[in-house]
Amino acid sequence: MPEFDAYLIVDWSASSRPVRQCNSVWYCLVIRTEGNFSVVELNNPATRHQAVAEINAILRRLARQEQMTLVGFDFPYGYPAGFAQALGLTDTHAWLSVWREIDNRIVDRDDNSNNRFEVAGDLNRCISSRCYPFWGCPKGRVSATLSSTKGGPGHLAEYRRTDIGKMQPTWKLFQNGSVGSQALLGIPHLRALRNDAVLSPVSRVWPFETGLFVLPSRQNRDYLIVHAEIYPSLLPIQPTAGAVKDAVQVRTIASHFAALDDAGELSRLFAGPTDLTQDDRERIEQEEGWTLGVVSRRQVQCTAM
């Protein structure tokens, strides 16, 4: 039996204004019915707030129907090990304290305007009093603790253990592949979904709350929703003429996970690579997170900044 009944894949955006089509939020919902799966929603809301409101409504509906649902956002759910400690966040699990800290600092308004560069500069000030570890911003946002280009080295790793190939570092906030901005603006919304009054009892974040293991069988789970970080570029995608790449990616990834699930091959991805050390696994489960579909530790970039 497949592990999930529905697959909701989200291509996130750090845009500072309402936007549709390219470089905006897209999400796709694939649902299995009577043994067959199909795309039932492919939407392009103009703002992050609109997107999360729609996603919340979808998840509440699926939860009422007791549908097992995989939810994937394409931004980092964690930071390189040591980030929480560098901020002095030691009162709870590292990933949880970082989520709470970011949520408390970020202001993301209904029109997509936000304070992410100011927050990054403040975090740099707390950690190093200089332009480290976050970097990248428009020239008009440069400050004493945030530079437009990469700063000098420091004690935190540039990449997480899961960051492979062309994945960008979570510290990068501007220009191509600026997943750092997506994470700063995404984590508060993801936290709100996880902690929603209706969804919280039936939601878990992988691997932070589930462990880096094959998921329990359906009948042995006490949750319906699994949140997992994804990276659409793990699959080669060739959009047809006139198609929006982001739309093609979310549809492709959602269908890909559904097909893997049908073949009985999705569950093993939740265990991560077999060549991870015990120390790796502890850091991943407590702080860094993992990207669903990354299966080889040998591909990982993990160098000091």
PDB file of all heavy atoms in Angstrom, residues 79-96:
ATOM      1  N   TYR A  79      19.827  24.800   9.210  1.00  0.00           N
ATOM      2  CA  TYR A  79      21.088  25.490   8.925  1.00  0.00           C
ATOM      3  C   TYR A  79      22.259  24.597   9.321  1.00  0.00           C
ATOM      4  O   TYR A  79      22.091  23.648  10.106  1.00  0.00           O
ATOM      5  CB  TYR A  79      21.146  26.808   9.705  1.00  0.00           C
ATOM      6  CG  TYR A  79      20.207  27.860   9.161  1.00  0.00           C
ATOM      7  CD1 TYR A  79      18.857  27.866   9.523  1.00  0.00           C
ATOM      8  CD2 TYR A  79      20.656  28.834   8.270  1.00  0.00           C
ATOM      9  CE1 TYR A  79      17.988  28.817   9.003  1.00  0.00           C
ATOM     10  CE2 TYR A  79      19.794  29.794   7.753  1.00  0.00           C
ATOM     11  CZ  TYR A  79      18.458  29.783   8.125  1.00  0.00           C
ATOM     12  OH  TYR A  79      17.587  30.715   7.607  1.00  0.00           O
ATOM     13  N   PRO A  80      23.447  24.900   8.812  1.00  0.00           N
ATOM     14  CA  PRO A  80      24.612  24.101   9.203  1.00  0.00           C
ATOM     15  C   PRO A  80      24.767  24.017  10.722  1.00  0.00           C
ATOM     16  O   PRO A  80      24.453  24.966  11.447  1.00  0.00           O
ATOM     17  CB  PRO A  80      25.776  24.864   8.564  1.00  0.00           C
ATOM     18  CG  PRO A  80      25.173  25.479   7.325  1.00  0.00           C
ATOM     19  CD  PRO A  80      23.789  25.889   7.753  1.00  0.00           C
ATOM     20  N   ALA A  81      25.211  22.878  11.171  1.00  0.00           N
ATOM     21  CA  ALA A  81      25.342  22.624  12.607  1.00  0.00           C
ATOM     22  C   ALA A  81      26.174  23.706  13.283  1.00  0.00           C
ATOM     23  O   ALA A  81      27.195  24.149  12.755  1.00  0.00           O
ATOM     24  CB  ALA A  81      25.983  21.255  12.836  1.00  0.00           C
ATOM     25  N   GLY A  82      25.726  24.134  14.443  1.00  0.00           N
ATOM     26  CA  GLY A  82      26.415  25.160  15.202  1.00  0.00           C
ATOM     27  C   GLY A  82      25.752  26.513  15.130  1.00  0.00           C
ATOM     28  O   GLY A  82      26.081  27.417  15.917  1.00  0.00           O
ATOM     29  N   PHE A  83      24.793  26.692  14.207  1.00  0.00           N
ATOM     30  CA  PHE A  83      24.116  27.983  14.049  1.00  0.00           C
ATOM     31  C   PHE A  83      23.340  28.365  15.301  1.00  0.00           C
ATOM     32  O   PHE A  83      23.444  29.488  15.802  1.00  0.00           O
ATOM     33  CB  PHE A  83      23.192  27.930  12.830  1.00  0.00           C
ATOM     34  CG  PHE A  83      22.454  29.208  12.550  1.00  0.00           C
ATOM     35  CD1 PHE A  83      23.114  30.418  12.461  1.00  0.00           C
ATOM     36  CD2 PHE A  83      21.078  29.185  12.347  1.00  0.00           C
ATOM     37  CE1 PHE A  83      22.421  31.601  12.177  1.00  0.00           C
ATOM     38  CE2 PHE A  83      20.379  30.351  12.074  1.00  0.00           C
ATOM     39  CZ  PHE A  83      21.055  31.560  11.993  1.00  0.00           C
ATOM     40  N   ALA A  84      22.555  27.431  15.822  1.00  0.00           N
ATOM     41  CA  ALA A  84      21.763  27.726  17.023  1.00  0.00           C
ATOM     42  C   ALA A  84      22.676  28.086  18.190  1.00  0.00           C
ATOM     43  O   ALA A  84      22.422  29.062  18.922  1.00  0.00           O
ATOM     44  CB  ALA A  84      20.884  26.529  17.383  1.00  0.00           C
ATOM     45  N   GLN A  85      23.737  27.332  18.367  1.00  0.00           N
ATOM     46  CA  GLN A  85      24.659  27.602  19.470  1.00  0.00           C
ATOM     47  C   GLN A  85      25.326  28.964  19.304  1.00  0.00           C
ATOM     48  O   GLN A  85      25.526  29.706  20.284  1.00  0.00           O
ATOM     49  CB  GLN A  85      25.715  26.507  19.557  1.00  0.00           C
ATOM     50  CG  GLN A  85      26.651  26.648  20.749  1.00  0.00           C
ATOM     51  CD  GLN A  85      27.612  25.471  20.873  1.00  0.00           C
ATOM     52  OE1 GLN A  85      27.731  24.668  19.961  1.00  0.00           O
ATOM     53  NE2 GLN A  85      28.288  25.379  21.991  1.00  0.00           N
ATOM     54  N   ALA A  86      25.660  29.317  18.056  1.00  0.00           N
ATOM     55  CA  ALA A  86      26.293  30.613  17.801  1.00  0.00           C
ATOM     56  C   ALA A  86      25.378  31.768  18.167  1.00  0.00           C
ATOM     57  O   ALA A  86      25.840  32.854  18.523  1.00  0.00           O
ATOM     58  CB  ALA A  86      26.698  30.707  16.327  1.00  0.00           C
ATOM     59  N   LEU A  87      24.066  31.534  18.089  1.00  0.00           N
ATOM     60  CA  LEU A  87      23.085  32.550  18.465  1.00  0.00           C
ATOM     61  C   LEU A  87      22.734  32.493  19.947  1.00  0.00           C
ATOM     62  O   LEU A  87      21.929  33.294  20.423  1.00  0.00           O
ATOM     63  CB  LEU A  87      21.806  32.372  17.632  1.00  0.00           C
ATOM     64  CG  LEU A  87      21.886  32.795  16.165  1.00  0.00           C
ATOM     65  CD1 LEU A  87      20.626  32.360  15.416  1.00  0.00           C
ATOM     66  CD2 LEU A  87      22.082  34.300  16.040  1.00  0.00           C
ATOM     67  N   GLY A  88      23.308  31.524  20.659  1.00  0.00           N
ATOM     68  CA  GLY A  88      22.997  31.373  22.073  1.00  0.00           C
ATOM     69  C   GLY A  88      21.663  30.712  22.327  1.00  0.00           C
ATOM     70  O   GLY A  88      21.086  30.863  23.410  1.00  0.00           O
ATOM     71  N   LEU A  89      21.176  29.959  21.356  1.00  0.00           N
ATOM     72  CA  LEU A  89      19.868  29.295  21.474  1.00  0.00           C
ATOM     73  C   LEU A  89      20.093  27.865  21.950  1.00  0.00           C
ATOM     74  O   LEU A  89      20.326  26.956  21.154  1.00  0.00           O
ATOM     75  CB  LEU A  89      19.134  29.304  20.130  1.00  0.00           C
ATOM     76  CG  LEU A  89      18.965  30.682  19.477  1.00  0.00           C
ATOM     77  CD1 LEU A  89      18.333  30.545  18.100  1.00  0.00           C
ATOM     78  CD2 LEU A  89      18.122  31.593  20.368  1.00  0.00           C
ATOM     79  N   THR A  90      20.022  27.653  23.242  1.00  0.00           N
ATOM     80  CA  THR A  90      20.362  26.353  23.810  1.00  0.00           C
ATOM     81  C   THR A  90      19.263  25.789  24.702  1.00  0.00           C
ATOM     82  O   THR A  90      19.493  24.801  25.400  1.00  0.00           O
ATOM     83  CB  THR A  90      21.663  26.454  24.620  1.00  0.00           C
ATOM     84  OG1 THR A  90      21.497  27.424  25.668  1.00  0.00           O
ATOM     85  CG2 THR A  90      22.828  26.873  23.736  1.00  0.00           C
ATOM     86  N   ASP A  91      18.072  26.400  24.689  1.00  0.00           N
ATOM     87  CA  ASP A  91      17.036  25.986  25.635  1.00  0.00           C
ATOM     88  C   ASP A  91      16.190  24.837  25.130  1.00  0.00           C
ATOM     89  O   ASP A  91      15.428  24.238  25.891  1.00  0.00           O
ATOM     90  CB  ASP A  91      16.131  27.167  25.995  1.00  0.00           C
ATOM     91  CG  ASP A  91      15.425  27.750  24.781  1.00  0.00           C
ATOM     92  OD1 ASP A  91      16.010  27.701  23.682  1.00  0.00           O
ATOM     93  OD2 ASP A  91      14.296  28.257  24.934  1.00  0.00           O
ATOM     94  N   THR A  92      16.297  24.493  23.837  1.00  0.00           N
ATOM     95  CA  THR A  92      15.501  23.396  23.285  1.00  0.00           C
ATOM     96  C   THR A  92      16.229  22.846  22.076  1.00  0.00           C
ATOM     97  O   THR A  92      17.375  23.210  21.798  1.00  0.00           O
ATOM     98  CB  THR A  92      14.086  23.870  22.923  1.00  0.00           C
ATOM     99  OG1 THR A  92      13.297  22.732  22.508  1.00  0.00           O
ATOM    100  CG2 THR A  92      14.108  24.893  21.798  1.00  0.00           C
ATOM    101  N   HIS A  93      15.590  21.961  21.318  1.00  0.00           N
ATOM    102  CA  HIS A  93      16.206  21.388  20.120  1.00  0.00           C
ATOM    103  C   HIS A  93      16.664  22.506  19.187  1.00  0.00           C
ATOM    104  O   HIS A  93      15.964  23.500  19.000  1.00  0.00           O
ATOM    105  CB  HIS A  93      15.224  20.477  19.401  1.00  0.00           C
ATOM    106  CG  HIS A  93      14.788  19.302  20.211  1.00  0.00           C
ATOM    107  ND1 HIS A  93      15.651  18.298  20.604  1.00  0.00           N
ATOM    108  CD2 HIS A  93      13.573  18.967  20.718  1.00  0.00           C
ATOM    109  CE1 HIS A  93      14.984  17.391  21.306  1.00  0.00           C
ATOM    110  NE2 HIS A  93      13.732  17.778  21.398  1.00  0.00           N
ATOM    111  N   ALA A  94      17.835  22.333  18.585  1.00  0.00           N
ATOM    112  CA  ALA A  94      18.433  23.404  17.792  1.00  0.00           C
ATOM    113  C   ALA A  94      17.509  23.868  16.669  1.00  0.00           C
ATOM    114  O   ALA A  94      17.321  25.067  16.472  1.00  0.00           O
ATOM    115  CB  ALA A  94      19.773  22.932  17.229  1.00  0.00           C
ATOM    116  N   TRP A  95      16.946  22.929  15.909  1.00  0.00           N
ATOM    117  CA  TRP A  95      16.097  23.333  14.785  1.00  0.00           C
ATOM    118  C   TRP A  95      14.883  24.118  15.270  1.00  0.00           C
ATOM    119  O   TRP A  95      14.490  25.116  14.653  1.00  0.00           O
ATOM    120  CB  TRP A  95      15.631  22.105  13.990  1.00  0.00           C
ATOM    121  CG  TRP A  95      14.597  21.261  14.677  1.00  0.00           C
ATOM    122  CD1 TRP A  95      14.822  20.244  15.559  1.00  0.00           C
ATOM    123  CD2 TRP A  95      13.172  21.382  14.560  1.00  0.00           C
ATOM    124  NE1 TRP A  95      13.632  19.713  15.987  1.00  0.00           N
ATOM    125  CE2 TRP A  95      12.595  20.380  15.391  1.00  0.00           C
ATOM    126  CE3 TRP A  95      12.328  22.213  13.825  1.00  0.00           C
ATOM    127  CZ2 TRP A  95      11.225  20.210  15.513  1.00  0.00           C
ATOM    128  CZ3 TRP A  95      10.942  22.045  13.946  1.00  0.00           C
ATOM    129  CH2 TRP A  95      10.403  21.053  14.777  1.00  0.00           C
ATOM    130  N   LEU A  96      14.311  23.688  16.396  1.00  0.00           N
ATOM    131  CA  LEU A  96      13.109  24.324  16.920  1.00  0.00           C
ATOM    132  C   LEU A  96      13.408  25.727  17.435  1.00  0.00           C
ATOM    133  O   LEU A  96      12.633  26.668  17.210  1.00  0.00           O
ATOM    134  CB  LEU A  96      12.526  23.460  18.031  1.00  0.00           C
ATOM    135  CG  LEU A  96      11.108  23.770  18.500  1.00  0.00           C
ATOM    136  CD1 LEU A  96      10.110  23.672  17.366  1.00  0.00           C
ATOM    137  CD2 LEU A  96      10.713  22.817  19.628  1.00  0.00           C
TER     138      LEU A  96
END
